[in-house]
């Protein structure tokens, strides 16, 4: 195969030139500097493969079975290798830009990748963009999908932060969710991460849990939180269960076989989470995320701040210039899209995009309200009137030009506030899209 030596920025010293070669057919349309604007400094890579689809999952994933592995000759290995070729191709064809400050490898189950495969992906990003000093490189791991030796390999390849998909400490609950791992697997994996952090090989790690599950009680959830705190993860992501279309849970709900917590109990669960984690020293910096000082996810804050990011892979969403673009959700569609896609450039001038952010005004409000500090944006009088009930109850707070939701009561009602925002936007938003940001 003919290759071209033209590449993007490379930050790491001593990289072999051959490692950064790009196929000529890709370089012709991808090797240009990102135009002036707001060059992204973050990238998301989607690894769609997993052992099985969980009952609540509507992500673009490809279940390969419990015996799947990237090892040569193992079930699923050919599919993984073929997909990675497409992913490398997309990275090579992307517009170059400044060195990346954050990278997030998600899925799916990225820990199905071999150490070499992950190292090659990170190397492709280094070749295309470079990695800024102190870059945060996050990797999602599922218990029972990796061992301590593989974890050591991932860390040696450059991973600095791990997100561990625990979801629950109850074997019965894990089985009801369709999860492959069990409590013992979760405790073992968390122990490895604790050790790696103590030894200085891992900067930070996060534990994922789900609240609002079928049959969940306050006392049962309190016990889950205590077990999580005992593991001392520097970061906790606590997600509310959402029954998504097309999932096993949706079919169960339609048959009346899914007993979800009532709204009052769901609010009590969220209040308990916020209160107990605050007592344990965790800051509630975003609706679903809690962190010890210095351990907030830098990559996730990119999404919530309205900044742009590169996205690569099947089903991935990218917003390099504030305009979201989702890749096809199937491998076949993704491969066809790669044949036709042009490198992403900045959007044409439009009054619906704020100059300093590039994201539509309504989206900036929506992501801003997820954060503890809220959002600094103009609020027209018509929208203020819609929000008046929340303001009077102290759930929505104005502090100068900044608006935020009170923690935890206001954050628990964020969907109600956002529904009023969307209703206003549909009726009147386009008429005020040219509003400047608050001074």
């Amino acid at each position: 195969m003919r290759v071209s030596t033209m590449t993007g920025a490379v930050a790491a010293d001593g990289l072999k030139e051959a490692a950064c070669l790009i196929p000529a057919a890709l370089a012709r349309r991808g090797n240009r500097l990102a135009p002036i604007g707001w060059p992204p400094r973050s990238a998301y890579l989607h690894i769609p493969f997993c052992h099985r689809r969980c009952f609540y999952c509507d992500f673009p994933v490809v279940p390969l079975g419990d015996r799947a592995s990237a090892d040569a000759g193992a079930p699923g290995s050919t599919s993984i290798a073929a997909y990675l070729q497409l992913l490398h191709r997309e990275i090579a064809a992307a517009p170059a830009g400044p060195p990346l400050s954050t990278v997030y490898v998600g899925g799916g189950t990225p820990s199905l990748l071999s150490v070499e495969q992950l190292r090659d992906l990170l190397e492709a990003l280094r070749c295309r963009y470079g990695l800024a000093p102190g870059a945060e490189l996050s990797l999602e791991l599922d218990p029972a999908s990796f061992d301590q030796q593989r974890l050591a390999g991932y860390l040696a390849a450059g991973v600095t932060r791990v997100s561990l998909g625990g979801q629950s400490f109850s074997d019965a609950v894990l089985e009801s969710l369709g999860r492959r791992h069990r409590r013992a697997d979760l405790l073992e994996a968390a122990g490895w991460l604790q050790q790696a952090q103590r030894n200085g090989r891992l900067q930070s790690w996060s534990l994922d849990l789900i609240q609002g599950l079928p049959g969940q009680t306050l006392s049962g959830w309190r016990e889950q939180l205590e077990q999580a705190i005992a593991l001392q993860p520097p970061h906790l992501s606590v997600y509310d269960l959402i029954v998504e279309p097309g999932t096993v849970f949706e079919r169960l709900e339609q048959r009346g076989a899914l007993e979800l917590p009532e709204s009052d109990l769901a609010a009590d669960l969220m209040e308990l989470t916020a209160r107990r984690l605050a007592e344990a020293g965790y800051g509630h910096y975003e609706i679903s995320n809690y962190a010890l000082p210095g351990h907030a996810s830098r990559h996730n804050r990119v999404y919530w701040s309205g900044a742009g990011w590169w996205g690569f892979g099947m089903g991935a969403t990218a917003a390099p210039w504030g305009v979201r673009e989702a890749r096809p959700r199937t491998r076949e569609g993704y491969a066809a899209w790669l044949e036709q896609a042009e490198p992403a450039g900045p959007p044409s001038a439009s009054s619906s995009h704020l100059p300093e952010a590039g994201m539509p005004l309504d989206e900036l409000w929506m992501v801003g309200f997820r954060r503890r500090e809220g959002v600094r944006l103009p609020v027209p009088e018509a929208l203020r009137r819609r929000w008046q009930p929340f303001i009077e109850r102290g759930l929505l707070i104005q502090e100068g030009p900044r608006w935020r939701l009170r923690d935890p009561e206001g954050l628990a009602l964020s969907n109600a506030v956002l529904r009023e925002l969307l209703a206003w936007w549909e009726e009147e938003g386009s008429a005020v899209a040219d509003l400047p940001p608050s001074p």
Side-chain angles (χ1 to χ4, degrees):
M1 176 185 294
R2 296 184 59 191
V3 296
S4 165
T5 58
M6 298 178 68
T7 69
V10 180
D13 292 332
L15 288 178
K16 295 182 180 179
E17 182 179 354
C20 295
L21 297 181
I22 298 175
L26 302 181
R28 283 198 299 272
R29 63 186 181 92
N31 193 54
R32 62 181 177 85
L33 284 175
I36 59 172
W38 312 276
R41 297 178 181 272
S42 297
Y44 172 79
L45 275 64
H46 188 67
I47 308 299
F49 302 104
C50 55
H51 291 288
R52 57 174 79 166
R53 182 184 286 275
C54 301
F55 296 162
Y56 54 84
C57 176
D58 75 332
F59 289 176
V61 299
V62 181
L64 296 177
D66 285 356
R67 296 176 55 244
S69 168
D71 297 338
S77 59
T78 301
S79 294
I80 293 173
Y83 173 79
L84 290 178
Q85 288 185 342
L86 297 176
L87 189 53
H88 277 279
R89 179 179 177 183
E90 185 183 5
I91 294 171
L100 300 174
S101 297
T102 73
V103 174
Y104 194 101
V105 183
T109 304
S111 40
L112 276 172
L113 298 186
S114 69
V115 171
E116 291 74 19
Q117 287 170 333
L118 178 67
R119 182 184 295 118
D120 289 346
L121 285 175
L122 296 179
E123 190 68 15
L125 291 176
R126 286 190 183 97
C127 291
R128 198 72 195 115
Y129 300 107
L131 295 175
E136 176 190 87
L137 307 182
S138 300
L139 177 67
E140 287 183 355
L141 298 179
D142 276 359
S145 68
F146 68 101
D147 56 22
Q148 197 167 13
Q149 181 178 0
R150 177 165 291 192
L151 173 63
Y154 290 151
L155 302 184
V159 170
T160 65
R161 184 179 183 276
V162 164
S163 179
L164 184 65
Q167 318 313 349
S168 175
F169 291 94
S170 165
D171 285 350
V173 170
L174 290 169
E175 184 174 1
S176 73
L177 296 175
R179 300 289 295 184
R180 177 172 175 263
H181 75 271
R182 293 296 179 261
R183 179 176 186 273
D185 302 313
L186 171 54
L187 296 178
E188 182 178 47
W192 294 336
L193 296 176
Q194 287 176 320
Q195 182 179 349
Q197 187 188 12
R198 284 196 300 266
N199 293 341
R201 294 181 292 121
L202 178 65
Q203 291 181 13
S204 190
W205 64 281
S206 178
L207 174 63
D208 290 358
L209 294 175
I210 303 178
Q211 68 185 9
L213 292 171
Q216 197 165 67
T217 64
L218 270 178
S219 60
W221 179 239
R222 184 179 293 108
E223 176 59 27
Q224 292 286 305
L225 290 174
E226 295 303 328
Q227 293 185 70
I229 293 169
L231 293 177
Q232 299 179 315
H235 186 285
L236 277 160
S237 293
V238 183
Y239 300 106
D240 284 309
L241 176 68
I242 299 176
V243 179
E244 300 286 1
T247 61
V248 172
F249 272 6
E250 185 199 37
R251 295 193 291 274
L252 291 174
E253 186 179 46
Q254 290 171 345
R255 298 205 304 263
L258 195 68
E259 184 184 351
L260 296 175
E262 298 290 339
S263 58
D264 287 347
L265 175 56
D268 289 343
L269 291 169
M270 184 173 187
E271 183 180 358
L272 172 61
T273 300
R275 184 177 69 251
R276 183 64 189 96
L277 293 183
E279 292 170 354
Y282 292 86
H284 191 187
Y285 72 97
E286 191 269 344
I287 285 180
S288 301
N289 288 275
Y290 303 79
L292 298 177
H295 289 277
S297 168
R298 289 161 49 195
H299 183 85
N300 286 344
R301 289 186 71 89
V302 169
Y303 301 144
W304 307 320
S305 68
W309 70 91
W310 305 110
F312 301 104
M314 177 189 116
T317 296
W321 313 106
V323 178
R324 297 175 186 267
E325 180 184 36
R327 281 92 177 105
R329 292 171 62 92
T330 66
R331 285 175 291 174
E332 296 77 10
Y334 174 54
W337 176 84
L338 278 177
E339 293 296 329
Q340 302 173 3
E342 290 295 327
S348 58
S350 169
S351 62
S352 65
H353 293 81
L354 290 181
E356 75 275 12
M359 184 177 285
L361 194 61
D362 58 331
E363 290 190 29
L364 284 170
W365 267 316
M366 293 180 70
V367 297
F369 275 136
R370 293 187 62 91
R371 300 180 296 169
R372 177 180 56 195
E373 62 267 33
V375 62
R376 181 187 174 112
L377 286 172
V379 176
E381 186 58 34
L383 180 56
R384 185 189 294 265
R385 287 195 298 269
R386 285 183 177 270
W387 280 345
Q388 192 60 35
F390 306 108
I391 296 172
E392 291 176 354
R393 293 164 61 189
L395 301 175
L396 182 58
I397 300 170
Q398 182 180 12
E399 297 171 334
R402 185 173 293 278
W403 291 81
R404 66 177 179 86
L405 294 167
R406 192 174 76 195
D407 182 19
E409 299 91 345
L411 290 174
L413 291 173
S414 62
N415 286 341
V417 175
L418 293 176
R419 277 195 298 270
E420 294 298 329
L421 166 63
L422 292 175
W424 166 81
W425 183 261
E426 290 177 0
E427 294 176 9
E428 308 180 50
S430 59
V432 297
D434 292 332
L435 281 172
S438 298

